Amino acid sequence: MNRKRTGILVGMIGLAFAAQAQMNPKYKFEEALKLIQGNYVDQVNEEHLVDAAIKAMIADLDPHSHYTSREEAEAMRQAMSGSFAGIGIQFLKNADKTYVTMVNPDGPAMRAGVRVGDQIVSIDGESIVGEQFGNKEIMLKLRGDKDVPVALQIVSPGSTAQKDISIVRENILEKSVRESYMVDQEIGYIALSIFNRTTRPEIDAALKKLQEQGMTKLILDLQSNGGGYVESAIGVVDEFLPKDKMVFYSVPNGGGRDYYATGGYGRFYDGALVVLIDESTASSSEIVTGALQDWDRAVVIGRRSFGKGLMQRPVPLSDGSEMQLTGARYYTPSGRSIQKPYSNGKDDYFEDFNRRMQSKELLEEGHVQFPDSLKYTTLNTKRIVYGGGGIMPDRFVPIDTNQYSNWMAQLMNKGIVSKGGFEFVQQNREALLQAYPDFEQFNNRFDVPVELHRQLVDYARSMSIAIPAEEQMAAHAAIDVEFKAQVGSLLYTGGDYMARIRNEANQSFNEALRVLRDDKLYSALLQAGTVGEKLTQKTK
């Protein structure tokens, strides 16, 4: 077909689509796609264009609706299922070598004889020594189909001999309960990292184990928990509130209300409860926190949560891709919508953390202003709580600026602490275990040697990382906490010892202990109202 006839045909198609587009906007999309195909200078990938168009349409709706390709959708489903097929290890790429840094207890790698400190030389006969493979590529090689073996060649510490090990991949649980342990004889601690399909049975098992150890009070840590399945959030609240207590209600696009309540199968209805939140606590975590606060069941400690009160529902497309569309808004039992405004666009919406830092909201109490229209009361003691942009804590704790500093981010992202800790353990494992036979002794007695700290700091500065001057003792103490956490996690198995060490330096955790150890203070906080009551209110 010659160029003139092609142009006439495209024009006729355009006229036909134009007539239809006047009646139905959907034809305008089809018209644009046909005209691009007929007129653009290069050949176009139709699937790529459609994907881009769908993404652009959804991006115009709200900050949380989004489109995922079929590959991304499958990866998300796998992550939320709580398991994947692998061998049960964590590893560290140190220069051109890959070392095992954690082995899941009773996982396939542990049973095959893999231990912390082993170097992985090859996977399925392909050498991974050198710079050709990064962390992602190595992870993908280790993961695969269930019941399919993967062949590793490893070298153990203190040996030069290479050992061939075949490990059959199994479903490896991605734990929702990041850590649970007894802090003292009566206070337990549970940290949730995500709300997935295994969250309810995991937290139920953790509560049972802690109660068998004498727990009568609990810290529930939701710091940096970005949410997940709403059904799992209901299950968590069910552990702490008796039957038929509203967890939240939602208002879908068709109007009306859908109510969600507890089922009465919980383990911990009466003991003192503290919930830890921060500026990254979002979505399902806010459902849990809002319900427990509204029913006066828990003291909330930390900083105002993220403020996500929109519920996304998966809408699958025929090719396996998926749209996550906001189908409803959720409200806490007292009627609060905690969704923060997003009328200024997505970029502005996700700049909220920087605004909170600049306004000093994250540094000092009293910088948030709410109008009276956002004032609500809890359901039992009638404390004042606020909607309109996150859950306000009952007890404010400022952010640790060292942990959120640029220099700390560089220190961690460049692997200086993790690699330094790994090399220290590799060189001193036997001596360390002899001096500190168990984690408790290590945690109570180990201090980072002054010379080792100096070497770490000097090396970081040689990498152009602006470590604060030695006079800023809190900054250097934060470095030692991270280094000690790395060493502890590499020396001992059976728990998230890194989290335990970090907790002892976490101000919110220590404030939770103070509140739980003072029964009068705990009771007073459930009566006196939230931090929000102390704010300077702003009327509109």
Side-chain angles (χ1 to χ4, degrees), residues 190-232:
I190 296 176
L192 292 180
S193 59
I194 194 172
F195 289 85
N196 62 20
R197 295 194 190 282
T198 66
T199 299
R200 178 63 192 272
E202 283 186 55
I203 194 170
D204 191 71
L207 285 168
K208 181 176 184 291
K209 183 178 179 181
L210 293 177
Q211 286 174 325
E212 289 171 349
Q213 297 176 60
M215 179 191 70
T216 59
K217 303 176 180 180
L218 176 68
I219 300 170
L220 178 63
D221 190 348
L222 299 181
Q223 294 176 107
S224 298
N225 185 321
Y229 287 134
V230 172
E231 296 86 349
S232 297

Side-chain angles (χ1 to χ4, degrees), residues 158-350:
S159 172
T160 57
Q162 296 183 352
K163 295 186 291 186
D164 294 317
I165 299 178
S166 180
I167 306 173
V168 177
R169 294 184 180 97
E170 299 176 5
N171 283 338
I172 306 299
L173 186 67
E174 289 256 62
K175 290 186 176 180
S176 174
V177 173
R178 188 179 77 241
E179 175 63 313
S180 65
Y181 66 97
M182 291 296 294
V183 180
D184 58 26
Q185 292 184 342
E186 61 177 356
I187 299 175
Y189 171 88
I190 296 176
L192 292 180
S193 59
I194 194 172
F195 289 85
N196 62 20
R197 295 194 190 282
T198 66
T199 299
R200 178 63 192 272
E202 283 186 55
I203 194 170
D204 191 71
L207 285 168
K208 181 176 184 291
K209 183 178 179 181
L210 293 177
Q211 286 174 325
E212 289 171 349
Q213 297 176 60
M215 179 191 70
T216 59
K217 303 176 180 180
L218 176 68
I219 300 170
L220 178 63
D221 190 348
L222 299 181
Q223 294 176 107
S224 298
N225 185 321
Y229 287 134
V230 172
E231 296 86 349
S232 297
I234 298 169
V236 170
V237 176
D238 195 38
E239 295 283 6
F240 304 109
L241 291 177
K243 188 176 181 178
D244 295 332
K245 296 293 186 183
M246 190 200 308
V247 178
F248 71 98
Y249 67 87
S250 64
V251 179
N253 57 5
R257 293 183 180 184
D258 296 321
Y259 293 91
Y260 301 84
T262 54
Y265 302 102
R267 290 186 177 275
F268 197 70
Y269 290 156
D270 300 317
L273 176 64
V274 165
V275 178
L276 302 184
I277 65 171
D278 63 14
E279 57 286 336
S280 298
T281 301
S283 189
S284 294
S285 293
E286 293 174 294
I287 288 178
V288 172
T289 308
L292 296 176
Q293 188 180 55
D294 280 2
W295 285 107
D296 301 289
R297 176 65 187 89
V299 171
V300 179
I301 291 177
R303 295 174 292 283
R304 181 164 63 102
S305 62
F306 182 85
K308 180 181 181 294
L310 302 176
M311 295 175 61
Q312 283 68 53
R313 292 173 180 163
V315 181
L317 298 175
S318 57
D319 68 343
S321 58
E322 194 171 85
M323 294 185 293
Q324 290 281 343
L325 295 179
T326 296
R329 298 176 184 272
Y330 73 73
Y331 297 79
T332 71
S334 67
R336 289 184 284 169
S337 169
I338 54 175
Q339 175 62 46
K340 62 187 178 185
Y342 54 87
S343 57
N344 291 331
K346 186 178 292 188
D347 289 343
D348 178 82
Y349 180 83
F350 288 109

Side-chain angles (χ1 to χ4, degrees), residues 11-49:
M12 291 173 65
I13 292 172
L15 289 172
F17 273 113
Q20 290 175 313
Q22 290 179 356
M23 295 181 291
N24 192 330
K26 73 177 183 179
Y27 291 117
K28 186 175 182 179
F29 176 78
E30 297 175 16
E31 176 190 16
L33 183 61
K34 289 290 185 184
L35 290 171
I36 290 170
Q37 289 173 319
N39 289 275
Y40 187 65
V41 64
D42 296 320
Q43 253 191 334
V44 295
N45 183 320
E46 185 174 305
E47 183 178 7
H48 175 75
L49 280 181

Side-chain angles (χ1 to χ4, degrees), residues 245-521:
K245 296 293 186 183
M246 190 200 308
V247 178
F248 71 98
Y249 67 87
S250 64
V251 179
N253 57 5
R257 293 183 180 184
D258 296 321
Y259 293 91
Y260 301 84
T262 54
Y265 302 102
R267 290 186 177 275
F268 197 70
Y269 290 156
D270 300 317
L273 176 64
V274 165
V275 178
L276 302 184
I277 65 171
D278 63 14
E279 57 286 336
S280 298
T281 301
S283 189
S284 294
S285 293
E286 293 174 294
I287 288 178
V288 172
T289 308
L292 296 176
Q293 188 180 55
D294 280 2
W295 285 107
D296 301 289
R297 176 65 187 89
V299 171
V300 179
I301 291 177
R303 295 174 292 283
R304 181 164 63 102
S305 62
F306 182 85
K308 180 181 181 294
L310 302 176
M311 295 175 61
Q312 283 68 53
R313 292 173 180 163
V315 181
L317 298 175
S318 57
D319 68 343
S321 58
E322 194 171 85
M323 294 185 293
Q324 290 281 343
L325 295 179
T326 296
R329 298 176 184 272
Y330 73 73
Y331 297 79
T332 71
S334 67
R336 289 184 284 169
S337 169
I338 54 175
Q339 175 62 46
K340 62 187 178 185
Y342 54 87
S343 57
N344 291 331
K346 186 178 292 188
D347 289 343
D348 178 82
Y349 180 83
F350 288 109
E351 278 292 309
D352 191 46
F353 174 82
N354 292 332
R355 278 196 296 274
R356 292 191 193 188
M357 284 293 286
Q358 290 168 4
S359 70
K360 296 188 177 180
E361 176 196 332
L362 300 177
L363 303 172
E364 301 168 356
E365 188 175 342
H367 287 276
V368 186
Q369 297 179 333
F370 288 120
D372 285 343
S373 60
L374 296 177
K375 183 186 293 187
Y376 296 82
T377 57
T378 61
L379 303 176
N380 290 325
T381 66
K382 306 304 178 184
R383 298 181 295 145
I384 294 176
V385 290
Y386 287 88
I391 300 292
M392 288 295 297
D394 302 308
R395 199 80 165 171
F396 173 81
V397 175
I399 197 169
D400 183 344
T401 54
N402 289 310
Q403 289 296 333
Y404 283 83
S405 64
N406 289 331
W407 63 263
M408 179 64 82
Q410 290 179 299
L411 197 66
M412 301 305 290
N413 291 340
K414 291 186 178 182
I416 294 174
V417 172
S418 59
K419 291 176 182 177
F422 178 80
E423 291 170 358
F424 177 69
V425 170
Q426 288 290 86
Q427 295 165 12
N428 301 280
R429 182 181 296 275
E430 290 185 12
L432 288 167
L433 289 174
Q434 187 172 2
Y436 315 105
D438 56 48
F439 173 74
E440 294 304 325
Q441 293 188 59
F442 172 82
N443 197 30
N444 293 331
R445 294 169 41 217
F446 177 81
D447 291 315
V448 178
V450 173
E451 183 58 33
L452 185 59
H453 174 93
R454 186 178 296 113
Q455 290 173 5
L456 190 73
V457 169
D458 288 346
Y459 178 68
R461 286 173 175 158
S462 74
M463 299 287 289
S464 300
I465 299 176
I467 304 293
E470 281 64 23
E471 292 76 17
Q472 297 186 37
M473 298 176 65
H476 288 266
I479 296 172
D480 282 353
V481 167
E482 291 300 329
F483 189 87
K484 182 177 179 178
Q486 291 288 338
V487 173
S489 70
L490 292 167
L491 277 177
Y492 307 98
T493 59
D496 187 351
Y497 297 119
M498 184 177 290
R500 297 192 192 188
I501 292 169
R502 286 172 172 166
N503 275 348
E504 294 187 6
N506 184 282
Q507 293 183 60
S508 292
F509 177 84
N510 286 306
E511 183 64 17
L513 292 182
R514 193 170 84 85
V515 169
L516 287 174
R517 288 169 176 164
D518 187 336
D519 293 340
K520 289 184 179 179
L521 174 59

Side-chain angles (χ1 to χ4, degrees), residues 57-75:
M57 283 191 291
I58 293 177
D60 200 47
L61 299 176
D62 66 74
H64 295 289
S65 292
H66 61 278
Y67 169 80
T68 55
S69 67
R70 49 179 181 269
E71 293 83 6
E72 293 168 329
E74 177 56 34

